[in-house]
Amino acid sequence: MCKKFLKILCVFFVLTFFILSGCESVEVDNSLKTDFSADFNATYRGSEYKGKISTNRQGVLNIEITYPQTIEGLSVRYYSGEMHISRENLDSSADEAYLPSTSFPSVLKSVFDGINSDRATIVSISKEECSRTLKVTMGNSVIKSRENIIEQIEIEAIDFCINFSNVSLIE
C-alpha cells in the first residue's frame, strides 16, 4: 500500500513539474516605438502647423514644416545635443542648452526624450488604444498610441496637440 502511494505521489510530482515547466510567462512589450517617420498636424498656442517628422531612439529628431506658408520649407534637426535649422539657403545651429524650452520643436524634443528614457507611465489601456502620461517641464503630456505606435501627444497646460498620420516604422 505504501509503495503504491509513493508511486502515485511520484507520478503526481513528475506531472506537476512537466506542466509547470511548460508554462512560460509571456511578457507584453508596452514600449512605444519612436523609430518612425510620419506626417503631422499640430496646434500650439493657437497656431496650426503641418509637416513631416522623423525620429529615432538615439535622440535624432527631424521636423519639416509645410504649413503655415510663412514658414513653409523650414527644417529643424536635433542630434548630438544641437539643433540645426535651415530654410532655403540659410543654415544655423545652436546648442540645445541655449534654446528656449517652449518653442514648438523643443516641446516635441522634450517629449520624445522622455519617451526614449522610458519615463512615460501607462494610465489606461484597452484593445484599441493605450494612454500614457509623461511629466515634462511644460506640464503633463498625454500620449495616445495604438499597437505601441504614437498617434497623438497633448500637453493641455501649454495648448499643445500633435496628431501623427501615415506612420512608417524605421527598422
Side-chain angles (χ1 to χ4, degrees):
M1 175 84 165
C2 188
K3 280 187 178 183
K4 192 175 188 179
F5 178 73
L6 286 175
K7 285 182 183 178
I8 292 172
L9 191 59
C10 183
V11 169
F12 174 74
F13 281 120
V14 170
L15 284 176
T16 303
F17 174 75
F18 281 118
I19 290 170
L20 291 178
S21 66
C23 298
E24 293 181 22
S25 62
V26 178
E27 275 190 40
V28 178
D29 181 20
N30 283 324
S31 60
L32 290 170
K33 296 177 174 120
T34 57
D35 294 316
F36 70 89
S37 62
D39 296 330
F40 72 84
N41 185 358
T43 56
Y44 180 50
R45 295 185 172 171
S47 297
E48 186 176 348
Y49 301 94
K50 293 180 183 179
K52 297 185 182 298
I53 186 171
S54 66
T55 180
N56 66 30
R57 269 216 178 274
Q58 289 74 35
V60 177
L61 175 66
N62 292 304
I63 304 168
E64 294 178 30
I65 306 291
T66 59
Y67 181 87
Q69 189 177 7
T70 54
I71 58 172
E72 181 181 11
L74 183 71
S75 177
V76 179
R77 179 179 168 102
Y78 282 95
Y79 66 94
S80 300
E82 289 187 350
M83 180 191 80
H84 298 264
I85 189 166
S86 62
R87 184 171 183 210
E88 297 172 1
N89 294 328
L90 296 173
D91 293 313
S92 180
S93 65
D95 190 299
E96 281 183 66
Y98 298 108
L99 300 171
S101 63
T102 57
S103 69
F104 176 76
S106 294
V107 170
L108 266 178
K109 176 73 168 131
S110 176
V111 172
F112 279 109
D113 284 348
I115 292 169
N116 289 332
S117 63
D118 292 324
R119 292 191 329 239
T121 307
I122 294 176
V123 176
S124 67
I125 192 166
S126 68
K127 259 187 172 173
E128 298 81 34
E129 185 178 84
C130 180
S131 289
R132 293 170 170 81
T133 186
L134 171 68
K135 185 159 182 66
V136 291
T137 56
M138 292 72 60
N140 285 334
S141 61
V142 176
I143 304 156
K144 294 183 181 174
S145 63
R146 189 176 312 260
E147 297 175 5
N148 296 337
I149 298 171
I150 301 169
E151 292 185 331
Q152 182 184 59
I153 300 170
E154 185 174 8
I155 306 174
E156 192 174 301
I158 59 171
D159 189 27
F160 176 88
C161 183
I162 186 167
N163 294 292
F164 300 103
S165 61
N166 302 321
V167 177
S168 298
L169 296 178
I170 301 169
E171 299 297 322

